[in-house]
Amino acid sequence: MDKLLIVFLFFILMIPNSIAQQHPLELRIMSYNIYHGENPYQRGTSNMGDVTALIKMIKPDFLALQEVDSMTLRTAGFAGSKLDLTDIWAKSSGMNGFFAKAIDFSEGGYGEAVLVRQNAVFESVSLPTPMGGEGRSMAVAHVEFEDGRKITFAGTHLCHEFEENRTAQVKGIKDYFKGYSHPVVVVGDFNFEPLEGGYVLMSEDFLDAAKVFGETKNTYPTDQPNIRIDYIWLVKNATWHVKDFQVMEGIAHSDHLPVYTVVSFQ
């Protein structure tokens, strides 16, 4: 009798966790190349207020920003003082932010930012540049939810000059996430179109969320979009449901259009 009672209690205690693991977790994910905080169509004018308003409107759980300045003279030139853009957007949106510097620039830094609603462990990953040119980084956030499920979110900006660099950087991203058993999302400005080799390489391990949803509109340049180079990638080893995907046309705060998706996973 005692043994049966123990088995029964164990079964009861395991039910909530099993239900939690089966319940899909919905996430709002956004990526935006913000042109270092300046409006390219109104030079000398900050876009920080407009980007802040957009973030508050979308309320993403995970946000990646590309071309982010940190304490540069360039920012001071149009905003009046050196600013940590990641910190400004994190505080204004109530999110946790992290800046991954790619290069030293204008007495400060220039690189990628990720912002997340949850507590996270952050890290910066340098990406290879075998052909030289501008350094590149990937900002990574590791998150564990209350029910024990984990997700890793990363934002990056691949080389705009050399296809060889982009290919090497995709290989670097794939190598970094090799062996991860939990869901991974990688987003950003990849500077390649779907016919380039880097896209094919990413597609081996990741799903193109726009393609899954059927919303493959061009993302650059904002005034006359003629190429698609901004992506949200979902690792294939998880079960995803892409519930929405938008290229946010009409948002002219930067030279790129923001991309946004709603996904769920088990």
Side-chain angles (χ1 to χ4, degrees):
M1 182 65 70
D2 290 342
K3 187 178 293 185
L4 289 174
L5 180 60
I6 291 172
V7 172
F8 176 76
L9 290 174
F10 176 79
F11 177 74
I12 293 296
L13 290 171
M14 288 300 294
I15 287 176
N17 187 56
S18 300
I19 292 173
Q21 292 298 327
Q22 294 172 359
H23 182 71
L25 185 61
E26 184 173 288
L27 303 172
R28 301 163 71 88
I29 299 168
M30 177 179 166
S31 179
Y32 196 12
N33 181 321
I34 49 78
Y35 198 75
H36 62 260
E38 183 180 12
N39 190 320
Y41 302 108
Q42 300 176 33
R43 291 298 177 91
T45 301
S46 169
N47 66 18
M48 288 183 287
D50 293 323
V51 173
T52 297
L54 179 63
I55 296 170
K56 289 182 176 180
M57 180 183 74
I58 298 298
K59 296 181 176 66
D61 299 296
F62 293 89
L63 167 65
L65 302 172
Q66 300 86 52
E67 295 195 21
V68 179
D69 273 15
S70 176
M71 306 304 291
T72 64
L73 287 174
R74 176 165 64 182
T75 307
F78 61 80
S81 62
K82 293 182 177 182
L83 297 172
D84 182 341
L85 299 185
T86 304
D87 187 60
I88 287 173
W89 280 313
K91 288 180 177 177
S92 64
S93 62
M95 301 175 78
N96 298 305
F98 176 76
F99 174 68
K101 184 172 71 172
I103 59 171
D104 294 322
F105 178 78
S106 189
E107 294 190 6
Y110 171 81
E112 317 308 313
V114 289
L115 287 76
V116 302
R117 295 271 170 212
Q118 299 78 13
N119 292 325
V121 175
F122 296 106
E123 60 181 315
S124 177
V125 178
S126 295
L127 298 177
T129 53
M131 297 297 292
E134 193 175 274
R136 296 291 166 167
S137 65
M138 178 169 65
V140 182
H142 304 285
V143 172
E144 182 172 352
F145 295 95
E146 291 183 358
D147 62 13
R149 280 181 286 184
K150 298 178 181 179
I151 189 169
T152 294
F153 175 72
T156 192
H157 181 196
L158 303 192
C159 179
H160 65 290
E161 297 177 284
F162 306 109
E163 181 176 350
E164 292 90 341
N165 279 354
R166 290 192 292 274
T167 300
Q169 287 158 10
V170 169
K171 289 179 180 177
I173 292 169
K174 286 167 51 116
D175 287 344
Y176 177 83
F177 291 116
K178 186 181 296 182
Y180 274 52
S181 59
H182 63 260
V184 174
V185 180
V186 184
V187 310
D189 173 1
F190 282 73
N191 272 314
F192 57 52
E193 294 186 76
L195 293 179
E196 189 173 301
Y199 179 95
V200 176
L201 279 174
M202 278 296 289
S203 298
E204 290 176 352
D205 296 340
F206 292 85
L207 299 168
D208 176 353
K211 187 176 180 180
V212 172
F213 190 73
E215 188 60 61
T216 56
K217 293 181 179 178
N218 295 329
T219 64
Y220 178 87
T222 294
D223 53 351
Q224 292 183 321
N226 55 37
I227 56 176
R228 183 166 78 99
I229 57 177
D230 300 271
Y231 298 91
I232 295 174
W233 295 97
L234 310 170
V235 74
K236 287 184 176 180
N237 69 358
T239 301
W240 300 96
H241 178 206
V242 182
K243 306 177 77 170
D244 189 17
F245 190 97
Q246 297 180 37
V247 175
M248 302 184 70
E249 297 173 300
I251 304 296
H253 312 324
S254 175
D255 56 344
H256 287 247
L257 294 169
V259 293
Y260 161 75
T261 190
V262 179
V263 301
S264 63
F265 73 94
Q266 292 297 122

